[in-house]
């Protein structure tokens, strides 16, 4: 049986009521900053295996949570099943996973917070809203089934599946319990290197040179609103989301490791990205990231500066991240210091501008 664990702890310098001011220190509420995971798995036969992962989020949203303290000192700890997967493998090129599992969509979701260079997932433009990105679910998971496989010496990979099968997909325009399931698919090709396995990474810290191009798409019946309609109660229409991404990483001997990552999203009009804010998603969004990893250790680890620029179109929102990571043991031990600036235009109202300084520690085994 496989047993593992991981933890992320983060602090943020930001006034939560005046987010453009970096004047107060708090636990970082963004994304997956204060979390613990217990990871279990095992093989039953050469064809069947299982995975069961559990997580605890400190200062979560309080849904099904244990409460620590009372009044002004109240902190929430959300405990949940992250993955619960039955896995069948006929061959590398044909595998079926079903249960609660990661939705195949964009590279950030395959990487997760533990296997990407930035501290945060991309797309968190508005406070209290889901990130601008694909349909997924809590922690990027949902109930469903995926057919997937690695082909051509792990250079070609495909995923196709249906999700939200227990109570429907993430319908942000109505009651989620009555939403329709959604469908997600992805293909990728790696002309340089290879990326075997279901999960992925957004950096390999110089262990391999790689170039991968990915394309994805999602569909949900009646997942959006027909904003062109003149009816008082606007009718629903289908949701379509398109995605494309590229990862290129090169380890130049004696110089260091250079990484470029780019991602593009296209959304149909009338799609809403959640949490009851009633704000439609931008029609397009993209980000670009560049980073550099020193070739030799400085002390007990390597330095990795990075810059990530995130942008939406119609409306135009911007996030600029500048980070410096100290990587002691690749994904298993690192600390990250990030300055982030967000501009959400008129949509953000008095909180149009947001500035923060985040400090995070990541450990896993």
């Amino acid at each position: 049986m496989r047993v593992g664990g991981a933890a992320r702890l983060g602090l943020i310098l930001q006034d939560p009521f005046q987010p453009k001011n970096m004047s107060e220190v708090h636990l970082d509420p963004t994304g997956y900053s204060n979390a613990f995971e217990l990871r279990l798995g095992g093989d039953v036969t050469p064809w069947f295996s299982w995975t069961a992962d559990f997580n605890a989020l400190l200062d979560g949203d309080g849904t099904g949570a244990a409460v620590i303290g009372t009044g002004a000192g109240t902190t929430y700890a959300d405990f949940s099943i992250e993955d619960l997967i039955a896995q069948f493998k006929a061959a590398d090129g044909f595998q079926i996973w079903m249960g609660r599992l990661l939705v195949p969509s964009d590279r950030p979701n395959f990487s997760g917070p533990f296997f990407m260079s930035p501290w945060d997932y991309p797309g968190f433009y508005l406070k209290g809203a889901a990130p601008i990105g694909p349909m997924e679910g809590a922690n990027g998971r949902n109930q469903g089934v995926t057919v997937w496989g690695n082909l051509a010496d792990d250079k070609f990979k495909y995923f196709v599946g249906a999700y939200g099968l227990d109570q429907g997909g993430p319908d942000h325009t109505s009651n989620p319990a009555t939403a329709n399931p959604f469908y997600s698919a992805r293909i990728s090709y790696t002309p340089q290197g290879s990326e075997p396995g279901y999960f992925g990474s957004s950096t390999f810290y110089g262990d391999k040179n790689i170039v991968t191009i990915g394309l994805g798409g999602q569909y949900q019946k009646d997942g959006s609103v027909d904003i062109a309609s003149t009816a008082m109660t606007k009718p629903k229409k289908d949701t379509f989301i398109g995605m494309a991404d590229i990862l290129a990483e090169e380890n130049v001997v004696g110089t260091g490791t250079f990484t470029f990552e780019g991602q593009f999203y296209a959304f149909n009009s009338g799609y809403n990205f959640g949490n009851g804010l009633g704000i439609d998603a931008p029609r397009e969004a993209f980000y670009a990231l560049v980073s550099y990893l020193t070739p030799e250790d400085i002390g007990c680890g390597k330095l990795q500066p990075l810059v990530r620029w995130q942008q939406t179109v119609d409306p135009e929102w911007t996030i600029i991240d500048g980070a410096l990571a100290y990587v002691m043991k690749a994904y298993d031990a690192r600390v990250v210091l990030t300055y982030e600036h967000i501009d959400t235009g008129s949509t953000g109202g008095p909180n149009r501008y947001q500035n923060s300084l985040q400090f995070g520690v990541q450990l896993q085994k």
Side-chain angles (χ1 to χ4, degrees), residues 71-148:
T74 298
T75 297
Y76 292 104
D78 289 348
F79 301 96
S80 64
I81 297 173
E82 186 171 53
D83 298 297
L84 191 60
I85 312 170
Q87 301 161 198
F88 169 73
K89 179 179 179 180
D92 288 345
F94 183 77
Q95 304 181 52
I96 302 174
W97 287 18
M98 62 184 302
R100 178 166 182 80
L101 71 165
L102 196 76
V103 176
S105 52
D106 58 352
R107 178 169 288 275
N109 204 39
F110 279 110
S111 302
F114 287 98
F115 295 91
M116 62 172 60
S117 297
W119 183 250
D120 287 338
Y121 278 114
F124 282 96
Y125 292 86
L126 298 180
K127 286 186 175 296
I132 294 293
M135 294 183 285
E136 293 166 355
N139 303 319
R141 272 74 173 175
N142 217 303
Q143 283 70 254
V145 57
T146 303
V147 177
W148 71 282

Side-chain angles (χ1 to χ4, degrees), residues 143-341:
Q143 283 70 254
V145 57
T146 303
V147 177
W148 71 282
N150 291 283
L151 301 168
D153 295 326
D154 298 328
K155 289 185 174 294
F156 179 79
K157 192 184 299 189
Y158 72 91
F159 303 84
V160 61
Y163 311 91
L165 299 184
D166 57 341
Q167 60 176 7
D171 180 356
H172 303 312
T173 63
S174 63
N175 184 353
T178 63
N180 293 309
F182 68 101
Y183 305 91
S184 190
R186 174 181 169 86
I187 59 172
S188 65
Y189 178 66
T190 306
Q192 176 173 292
S194 63
E195 291 193 88
Y198 190 97
F199 299 97
S201 300
S202 292
T203 179
F204 296 92
Y205 292 111
D207 284 347
K208 64 169 75 174
N209 296 329
I210 198 158
V211 175
T212 297
I213 300 169
L215 296 172
Q218 294 186 320
Y219 167 78
Q220 183 184 30
K221 182 176 176 58
D222 294 335
S224 298
V225 171
D226 184 0
I227 59 177
S229 172
T230 58
M232 182 172 296
T233 301
K234 297 186 181 298
K236 294 182 180 181
K237 71 176 188 178
D238 297 346
T239 294
F240 294 92
I241 299 174
M243 294 160 274
D245 58 79
I246 183 171
L247 174 69
E249 186 163 276
E250 188 77 20
N251 183 354
V252 181
V253 177
T255 302
T257 300
F258 299 86
T259 305
F260 171 79
E261 182 184 352
Q263 178 79 48
F264 173 79
Y265 305 98
F267 307 91
N268 60 269
S269 64
Y271 177 68
N272 184 290
F273 61 94
N275 286 16
L277 295 186
I279 301 171
D280 289 335
R283 295 298 303 276
E284 297 175 352
F286 62 88
Y287 72 79
L289 178 152
V290 292
S291 71
Y292 166 76
L293 182 71
T294 57
E296 304 294 339
D297 286 351
I298 300 173
C300 62
K302 299 178 180 180
L303 289 175
Q304 186 185 46
L306 70 86
V307 176
R308 181 175 62 182
W309 172 38
Q310 304 178 59
Q311 184 71 50
T312 68
V313 178
D314 189 24
E316 293 186 359
W317 304 336
T318 304
I319 302 178
I320 298 175
D321 299 310
L324 180 64
Y326 190 55
V327 182
M328 292 163 280
K329 190 179 178 183
Y331 315 104
D332 296 340
R334 65 181 184 127
V335 296
V336 185
L337 182 66
T338 306
Y339 168 74
E340 182 173 82
H341 173 74

